[in-house]
């Protein structure tokens, strides 16, 4: 029982080892921002693309990380999208995580989550920023442990900021604003990102920026604005 849990601790193929012999690109893929279920056809396509000599790794952000030849990147991206897979954007942009809304049983916040995705994902920021939306107060997808966490309840969001997601100083974010309405949440986040882009240092992570500036008037003004 469990005899395979700790075997083969060192994989034969990794992104690093593959790049020693050729040029590889790592793609972060998933069934979607909300959907967490892969279909057999999707898994077959992933296996076909990666083959025996590639690398597949599961990440802490709910993505499969696949290493593919850089020269075939665009072709492979199209094949993945054709079977309904989502490919996360890379670089200093807004990325989104979300819960699965209890596998579709609690969909109250799904529409606004999609709207936020269309507005914010891929938006340029000082450093990669993760926006995490959870559809109820259970927050079982750990919204409080990402750069900006939104927890939905009763037609509004509680907003958490400042989390340190990893390292020996890791900690949850703090409640920044309570009961920001669904109608106001997009404008509220736009202003938050504007502050970050305007006043952050080059490549400064969001949690460091917030810690450095949390006493500044622009944060207090933002809190007041959502109550108008």
């Amino acid at each position: 029982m469990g005899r395979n849990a700790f075997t083969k601790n060192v994989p034969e193929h990794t992104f690093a080892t593959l790049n020693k012999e050729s040029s590889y690109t790592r793609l972060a893929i998933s069934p979607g921002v909300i959907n967490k279920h892969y279909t057999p056809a999707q898994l077959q396509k992933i296996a076909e693309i990666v083959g025996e000599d590639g690398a597949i790794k599961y990440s802490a952000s709910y993505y499969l990380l696949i290493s593919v030849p850089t020269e075939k990147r665009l072709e492979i991206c199209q094949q993945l999208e054709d079977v309904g897979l989502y490919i996360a954007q890379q670089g200093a942009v807004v990325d989104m995580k979300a819960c699965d809304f209890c596998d579709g049983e609690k969909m109250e916040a799904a529409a606004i989550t999609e709207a936020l995705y269309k507005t914010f994902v891929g938006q340029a920021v000082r450093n990669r920023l993760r926006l995490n939306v959870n559809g109820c107060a259970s927050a079982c997808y750990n919204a409080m442990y990402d750069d900006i966490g939104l927890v939905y309840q009763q037609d509004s969001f509680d907003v958490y900021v400042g989390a340190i997601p990893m390292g020996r100083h890791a900690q949850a974010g703090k409640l920044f604003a309570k009961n920001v309405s669904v109608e106001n949440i997009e404008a509220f986040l736009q202003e938050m990102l504007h502050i970050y882009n305007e006043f952050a240092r080059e490549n400064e992570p969001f949690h460091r920026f917030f810690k450095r500036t949390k006493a500044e008037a622009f944060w207090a003004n933002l809190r007041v604005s959502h109550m108008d």
Side-chain angles (χ1 to χ4, degrees), residues 28-68:
I29 63 175
S30 70
V33 173
I34 295 175
N35 181 22
K36 303 294 188 287
H37 292 264
Y38 290 89
T39 68
Q42 288 171 339
L43 292 175
Q44 287 173 347
K45 177 55 69 174
I46 294 168
E48 174 190 318
I49 287 171
V50 175
E52 293 290 332
D53 299 323
I56 305 175
K57 181 179 181 178
Y58 185 69
S59 81
S61 299
Y62 319 121
Y63 290 115
L64 288 180
L65 305 178
I66 66 170
S67 299
V68 301

Side-chain angles (χ1 to χ4, degrees), residues 176-177 188 195 210 213-228:
F176 177 80
F188 185 87
I195 290 170
F210 183 74
T213 64
K214 60 185 178 182
E216 295 288 345
F218 48 67
W219 291 125
N221 292 339
L222 178 59
R223 286 191 186 94
V224 171
S225 71
H226 91 272
M227 296 185 290
D228 293 341

Side-chain angles (χ1 to χ4, degrees), residues 108 112 152 154-157 179-186:
E108 291 89 344
I112 183 60
Y152 176 83
Q154 297 183 338
D155 298 319
S156 67
F157 288 97
N179 301 131
V180 181
S181 70
V182 167
E183 291 76 16
N184 291 336
I185 190 63
E186 183 175 321

Side-chain angles (χ1 to χ4, degrees), residues 150-213:
L150 305 183
V151 178
Y152 176 83
Q153 42 194 342
Q154 297 183 338
D155 298 319
S156 67
F157 288 97
D158 291 345
V159 181
Y160 293 80
V161 301
I164 303 174
M166 62 184 68
R168 65 190 181 93
H169 298 298
Q171 63 181 33
K174 305 296 184 183
L175 181 62
F176 177 80
K178 193 170 180 62
N179 301 131
V180 181
S181 70
V182 167
E183 291 76 16
N184 291 336
I185 190 63
E186 183 175 321
F188 185 87
L189 293 174
Q190 286 282 30
E191 181 59 23
M192 183 171 282
L193 295 182
H194 171 74
I195 290 170
Y196 178 41
N197 280 337
E198 181 73 15
F199 298 105
R201 297 165 180 161
E202 186 175 358
N203 298 322
E204 186 175 24
F206 185 80
H207 69 86
R208 291 181 185 170
F209 169 68
F210 183 74
K211 181 179 180 180
R212 180 173 62 82
T213 64

Side-chain angles (χ1 to χ4, degrees), residues 70-98:
T70 300
E71 63 181 12
K72 296 182 178 179
R73 178 183 177 277
L74 294 179
E75 172 190 339
I76 287 171
C77 285
Q78 186 61 58
Q79 291 180 46
L80 294 169
E81 290 175 347
D82 286 345
V83 294
L85 288 165
Y86 169 69
I87 305 169
Q89 295 187 44
Q90 302 299 309
V93 297
V94 176
D95 186 24
M96 177 180 274
K97 295 166 62 177

